[in-house]
Amino acid sequence: MSRLLFSLFLALAALPLAADEVAVAPAVDAGRLPPLGAAWLAANPYRQQPAAGDAVAIGHDAYNQACARCHGADAATNAAPAPDLRKLDRACRRIADPELKAWCQRDNDAYFAKTVRRGKIILGVTHMPPWEGVLAQELAWAIQLFVESRAR
Ligand code: HEC
């Protein structure tokens, strides 16, 4: 009996942590962005698209709902518990050659998408939950554009 109570106590004590690691979809309408279909693209399709003019604002909203609690509100700090996402494309931004820059961005986009879809599960510990099936890829790419717009 006491063992059962102890297990119950452990389960309850672990609850808040577990809840923290769950990916919760932001209440943002992905339909305001040009639709991309179910299969994830390899690179950010909105970067060169004038039709995605609202993407940065929509991405800002989605970021604050889904990512900010770990990566920092408004992507405006490097003091959050999770990495400062503004630094992700820093190397690409420094490249002057347009072709090399585009290649670098494609590589960075692939890493961004892979990380968001799979999350970061290291040695069985969830550092970041997987967003596949929770976050529409339209919102993920918009979030990336927002974060890049914050970079200096
Ligand atoms: C529960 C906390 C948490 C939430 C919520 C979260 N992340 Fe993360 N994220 C992390 C942590 C922690 C890491 C670093 C993992 C590691 O490498 O140890 C990370 C890493 C990343 C990376 C890789 C960064 C790098 O420098 O390699 C990307 C990209 C990323 N997150 C994007 C996002 C996006 C986009 C969202 C919102 C949709 C999000 N994360 C929500 C905790 C979170």
Side-chain angles (χ1 to χ4, degrees):
M1 181 62 189
S2 66
R3 205 175 154 156
L4 186 73
L5 276 179
F6 184 63
S7 313
L8 191 70
F9 167 77
L10 276 187
L12 285 177
L15 263 184
L17 241 187
D20 245 20
E21 290 159 0
V22 169
V24 180
V28 177
D29 181 9
R32 289 159 62 204
L33 291 158
L36 303 174
W40 280 69
L41 304 175
N44 195 325
Y46 298 147
R47 191 168 281 121
Q48 322 290 356
Q49 255 187 52
D54 278 351
V56 169
I58 295 169
H60 188 176
D61 198 5
Y63 172 93
N64 271 345
Q65 291 187 43
C67 323
R69 69 188 161 100
C70 298
H71 289 281
D74 302 315
T77 177
N78 57 11
D84 181 350
L85 297 181
R86 293 173 301 178
K87 291 190 179 146
L88 267 182
D89 71 325
R90 191 163 55 178
C92 302
R93 265 182 282 128
R94 287 184 181 152
I95 299 175
D97 182 84
E99 229 170 277
L100 265 185
K101 195 189 192 87
W103 180 87
C104 182
Q105 273 176 336
R106 276 197 300 276
D107 200 47
N108 191 53
D109 287 359
Y111 173 74
F112 179 85
K114 184 184 89 177
T115 309
V116 169
R117 293 171 72 184
R118 296 187 192 164
K120 283 273 190 184
I121 299 165
I122 299 159
L123 297 174
V125 177
T126 302
H127 295 231
M128 170 163 112
W131 292 91
E132 176 103 63
V134 176
L135 188 71
Q137 69 160 325
E138 286 85 352
L139 291 180
W141 295 124
I143 287 172
Q144 190 194 24
L145 283 195
F146 160 66
V147 169
E148 289 179 0
S149 79
R150 298 294 312 221
R152 279 158 288 146

